[in-house]
Amino acid sequence: VLNSVWLGRSTPYANVMVSSSAYRIARGDFDAKIANWASHVKQYLDLGGGRSVIIAPLQEMNGRWTQYGCDPGNFKTAYRRFVDIFAAAGIGETQVRGAFSPANWTSPGCGTIAYYYPGDAYVDVIGLSAYNFGTCVGTRWKSVEDVFDAALNELRTTVSAKKPYVIAQTAAPRYASCGGSQD
């Protein structure tokens, strides 16, 4: 898949989920699986031609909807494990860039996005996942500004104004029943 994206003249962006707690990932329970994945990524990179990839370990960590979510201390350690394991596999930091990729909404009791930031030495890109669920989840249809502005402002003021930003994931229902404009 990575190579197909690259051949399509794009840099692959891979969200990496692990179906476990941030504690277990931070403890090293998944190091062998992460190293195995890193070896496959290295095979892709070794095809040459300037190939690169952006990985977002444990995206949307600021929500209870992920098994590893709502645990900032262990998340930071787990994220750093990913970066360190990739470096140990001989993958250069210009070939694989790490993306810190929170959601635009943080679950109650999970702190703020800034609590999860693993640090400038480990993050190359900020990737924001932001959704407009309309009236199917929320109380109203939201504008693009409603969906992105608060999270982007928080990221720029409390995390990093210097890192490049990408929209990692986004979506909105199109159905009129959710407040969208089409059936």
Side-chain angles (χ1 to χ4, degrees), residues 29-161:
D29 292 1
F30 293 86
D31 285 2
K33 288 185 180 193
I34 297 167
N36 184 46
W37 193 64
S39 73
H40 288 283
V41 170
K42 186 164 181 358
Q43 289 174 18
Y44 152 75
L45 295 169
D46 287 345
L47 294 172
R51 282 172 173 74
S52 63
V53 63
I54 300 169
I55 62 163
L58 312 173
Q59 80 280 5
E60 298 184 16
M61 75 305 292
N62 56 323
R64 294 187 190 280
W65 56 88
T66 63
Q67 284 185 290
Y68 48 80
C70 203
D71 186 354
N74 282 311
F75 166 78
K76 288 187 273 192
T77 301
Y79 182 102
R80 291 172 186 150
R81 287 189 91 84
F82 271 88
V83 173
D84 292 341
I85 290 169
F86 271 77
I91 299 172
E93 62 183 48
T94 60
Q95 293 176 297
V96 173
R97 291 176 297 256
F100 172 66
S101 192
N104 67 320
W105 182 82
T106 300
S107 292
C110 292
T112 67
I113 292 172
Y115 289 3
Y116 298 86
Y117 191 63
D120 285 347
Y122 285 88
V123 174
D124 302 303
V125 176
I126 308 289
L128 181 62
S129 296
Y131 303 94
N132 178 5
F133 294 111
T135 56
C136 287
V137 174
T139 58
R140 65 182 177 82
W141 187 258
K142 295 179 179 178
S143 69
V144 171
E145 293 82 7
D146 289 337
V147 173
F148 287 98
D149 282 358
L152 285 173
N153 288 335
E154 180 182 350
L155 285 164
R156 287 184 186 126
T157 59
T158 64
V159 174
S160 179

